[in-house]
Amino acid sequence: MEYEPVIGLEVHAQLLTRSKIFCGCSTSFGEEPNTQTCPVCTGQPGSLPVVNRKAVEFAIRLGLATNCRIAPFSLFARKNYFYPDLPKGYQISMYEYPLAEEGFIEITVDGRKKRIQIIRIHMEEDAGKLKHGETPEKASYSYVDFNRTGVPLVEIVSGPDIRSPQEAGEYLRRLRAILQYLEICTGDMEKGTFRCDANVSVRAKGQSEFGTRTELKNMNSFRHVEKALEYEIKRQIALLEDGEKVVQETRLWDVEQGITISMRGKEEAHDYRYFPDPDLVPLKIDGGWIEEIRKSLPELPEKKKERFVSQYQIPEYDAEILTSTRAMANYFEESVSLFQDPKTVSNWIMGDLLRELKRDEREIGQCPVTPKHLTGMLSMIQDGTISGKIAKDVFEEMYRTGERPENIVRDKGWVQIQDETEILRAIEKAIEANPRQVDDYRKGKEKIFGFFVGEVMKQTRGKANPKLVNELLKKKLK
Ligand SMILES: [Zn+2]
């Protein structure tokens, strides 16, 4: 029997406001524990929360950017449970009346477009952080840091529309890009500002009802999400094929072992006893404010991608990568404004530049090669100052030192050899040293031509103008 997975994702994204969602405490990261707290976010009796307007605005931005309907009326609710990092004994979230509903995100997988529904987006506060015995002296103690308590989050719940780990990865990448384009979330999974839980079940292909699902947690990179889903889908299919049943439960992804492990079953599931928070008034969002926010939205990834294809005549594949972050799209456009050959610019960004960044695990914002330096180098290839081959070395040097290409070429003596006599000298040497190959070539083995080009380049240490080398070699080898 053929099986099909059904996947839904729940993403928590931390909003980039300066202050917390219900008090004026700072949200800045990495401060001394418990230095950014007040009676409200530590849940002192008698303290009252007041909603942060900026956080609401950011959540509306996301709702609009994901094609959602913004609810004219939404309500904060208390989600009751006990945990040491939750001082009030409940988390303020939204339940029956979320802020935004019924949107979608478009993804492209294997060249095919697909819409993934967004069921709802709601706002909530983050909990604190527990630290367990971080040093040997503190081995038997646990500490709680309330700096993170009350940091604003949005939860984005997708429909059960995702059919493969690859689609899940694409959906997450696209959602993260939208958050970053909107400048409302850093999208850093390792730092926990973008977290994902997955619901997954399998069913016989063609069957309309869903199978029993499990919930996966503890995946802190896109790669882990994809791997955890792959593992879980295989595990569930194996159970069904053995005539067993999938148990509804929460499972943790174990990075070391590369497997999912049962954490708690359905019978242990919480009843959160949600009810409207009596300390907060309902959010009544004015239509005029929504329109104002809509007008302020930036060009989003999908639109930018389409524009890149039509305006710069680059392949869709290039446009997809170049628009994957707003910073990269800006880098590309700034470069093209300085050097009007978009495809060449795209090739260098997608090739050498991204390779170096990936190796060093850097973002494009941390790239030592500026658009000005990159295009300066491209102009030097174009006017024949350096060869395309040498350009590779120039690029590496620019990346390593952050130096201007003109200075590198001058200091290293990498200017291309345009002088015919010098090139001819190298050609004659190559011919003298390889009489057998000359013979073969003249007998019609034309492939050997490339060998001679290589020899001449070797002698000139890659600096000879390749066009001249080709012309002169052809004459000499006749
Ligand atoms: Zn506070």
Side-chain angles (χ1 to χ4, degrees):
M1 188 161 14
E2 222 185 313
Y3 290 93
E4 157 183 86
V6 175
I7 301 164
L9 299 176
E10 288 171 14
V11 170
H12 283 91
Q14 183 182 322
L15 296 175
L16 268 175
T17 54
R18 285 209 297 268
S19 57
K20 293 185 181 181
I21 184 166
F22 299 122
C23 62
C25 293
S26 166
T27 53
S28 82
F29 181 79
E31 306 295 328
E32 279 294 298
N34 298 310
T35 54
Q36 302 181 81
T37 57
C38 74
V40 174
C41 56
T42 53
Q44 307 301 314
S47 64
L48 285 172
V50 177
V51 69
N52 180 338
R53 187 181 165 93
K54 203 71 191 174
V56 178
E57 185 197 316
F58 282 1
I60 294 174
R61 283 167 81 83
L62 177 63
L64 293 174
T66 53
N67 311 292
C68 285
R69 184 174 59 79
I70 307 299
F73 174 94
S74 50
L75 202 57
F76 285 104
R78 292 184 180 179
K79 180 181 181 180
N80 297 280
Y81 66 97
F82 173 77
Y83 206 66
D85 65 6
L86 191 72
K88 295 194 293 290
Y90 60 84
Q91 177 195 24
I92 304 177
S93 179
M94 285 174 161
Y95 188 54
E96 290 150 297
Y97 300 97
L99 184 82
E101 290 176 289
E102 295 171 8
F104 64 86
I105 286 179
E106 208 160 57
I107 59 168
T108 309
V109 175
D110 297 332
R112 205 169 44 85
K113 280 192 177 160
K114 179 170 176 178
R115 270 186 187 187
I116 309 293
Q117 284 179 73
I118 304 287
I119 293 180
R120 56 187 271 150
I121 297 175
H122 68 251
M123 303 178 69
E124 61 187 30
E125 58 179 349
D126 208 347
K129 201 175 173 178
L130 290 179
K131 298 182 176 185
H132 305 288
E134 291 191 335
T135 58
E137 312 85 76
K138 293 177 180 170
S140 56
Y141 294 87
S142 287
Y143 294 82
V144 60
D145 177 5
F146 289 130
N147 282 354
R148 209 178 64 183
T149 311
V151 164
L153 303 176
V154 278
E155 180 174 341
I156 305 113
V157 181
S158 87
D161 304 335
I162 298 164
R163 292 287 174 271
S164 68
Q166 195 196 357
E167 283 184 16
E170 277 312 304
Y171 167 82
L172 289 175
R173 270 180 267 275
R174 183 40 62 98
L175 175 58
R176 185 176 70 161
I178 291 171
L179 286 160
Q180 291 172 332
Y181 268 65
L182 295 171
E183 295 178 321
I184 60 172
C185 175
T186 60
D188 191 334
M189 269 186 115
E190 266 115 56
K191 285 197 182 124
T193 64
F194 185 90
R195 305 166 223 162
C196 170
D197 299 331
N199 287 307
V200 56
S201 61
V202 297
R203 64 180 174 191
K205 214 161 192 174
Q207 179 185 314
S208 60
E209 59 269 35
F210 296 138
T212 308
R213 65 179 197 193
T214 58
E215 190 184 7
L216 303 185
K217 285 183 179 290
N218 197 36
M219 304 165 291
N220 59 2
S221 74
F222 291 136
R223 194 71 210 109
H224 289 165
V225 173
E226 287 173 351
K227 279 188 158 173
L229 284 170
E230 271 162 30
Y231 175 86
E232 185 59 18
I233 290 163
K234 276 195 197 133
R235 189 189 71 86
Q236 291 188 13
I237 290 174
L239 279 175
L240 296 181
E241 283 184 336
D242 288 348
E244 291 178 48
K245 279 196 171 119
V246 175
V247 180
Q248 188 175 342
E249 60 184 353
T250 303
R251 299 178 70 86
L252 286 185
W253 170 242
D254 184 320
V255 185
E256 314 276 274
Q257 299 188 67
I259 60 171
T260 65
I261 295 167
S262 177
M263 180 177 133
R264 59 166 183 252
K266 197 190 175 190
E267 64 278 9
E268 294 161 69
H270 296 287
D271 172 6
Y272 293 115
R273 295 179 295 116
Y274 281 96
F275 67 89
D277 192 309
D279 291 341
L280 285 156
V281 292
L283 286 180
K284 287 185 181 159
I285 315 266
D286 174 54
W289 193 31
I290 296 176
E291 284 320 300
E292 212 177 281
I293 296 172
R294 194 194 299 279
K295 277 191 207 121
S296 76
L297 293 182
E299 183 182 39
L300 292 164
E302 194 62 31
K303 276 268 157 357
K304 207 185 270 289
K305 185 177 105 184
E306 285 164 14
R307 179 170 64 80
F308 276 20
V309 171
S310 64
Q311 185 177 343
Y312 300 119
Q313 308 284 312
I314 54 172
E316 191 165 328
Y317 175 78
D318 293 33
E320 175 90 30
I321 293 173
L322 293 171
T323 56
S324 60
T325 67
R326 199 169 164 179
M328 182 133 54
N330 289 346
Y331 189 102
F332 171 74
E333 289 209 279
E334 202 183 324
S335 301
V336 172
S337 75
L338 297 166
F339 186 82
Q340 279 90 18
D341 178 353
K343 182 58 185 152
T344 300
V345 171
S346 166
N347 287 347
W348 276 90
I349 293 178
M350 301 214 310
D352 295 66
L353 193 133
L354 282 185
R355 191 180 53 241
E356 298 282 333
L357 290 176
K358 196 171 173 192
R359 193 196 56 207
D360 295 345
E361 292 176 1
R362 279 177 170 169
E363 297 290 327
I364 197 147
Q366 302 161 295
C367 181
V369 182
T370 63
K372 205 168 162 224
H373 290 175
L374 175 69
T375 53
M377 183 196 81
L378 296 179
S379 302
M380 290 171 90
I381 304 174
Q382 198 177 40
D383 68 19
T385 310
I386 55 171
S387 66
K389 193 167 175 295
I390 286 289
K392 299 268 176 193
D393 297 333
V394 176
F395 183 85
E396 261 178 38
E397 242 352 74
M398 289 199 296
Y399 185 85
R400 204 173 59 78
T401 61
E403 187 59 79
R404 295 174 54 199
E406 299 80 4
N407 295 353
I408 292 168
V409 169
R410 186 198 60 212
D411 295 348
K412 298 265 179 190
W414 281 346
V415 177
Q416 184 161 252
I417 302 169
Q418 309 269 30
D419 178 12
E420 286 199 15
T421 32
E422 203 175 337
I423 294 174
L424 274 173
R425 216 178 298 137
I427 288 175
E428 270 152 21
K429 263 193 189 166
I431 288 176
E432 261 171 45
N434 302 285
R436 197 164 47 83
Q437 281 84 345
V438 176
D439 232 37
D440 287 351
Y441 178 79
R442 286 179 178 151
K443 278 181 194 145
K445 224 173 154 192
E446 284 183 15
K447 270 195 206 149
I448 284 180
F449 190 75
F451 161 81
F452 283 104
V453 174
E455 286 298 297
V456 174
M457 282 302 184
K458 222 188 276 172
Q459 284 191 50
T460 57
R461 281 177 293 147
K463 292 192 292 183
N465 178 324
K467 207 167 148 244
L468 270 179
V469 172
N470 270 282
E471 282 171 19
L472 295 173
L473 248 180
K474 267 193 193 128
K475 271 191 216 154
K476 281 283 159 187
L477 280 173
K478 248 185 202 160

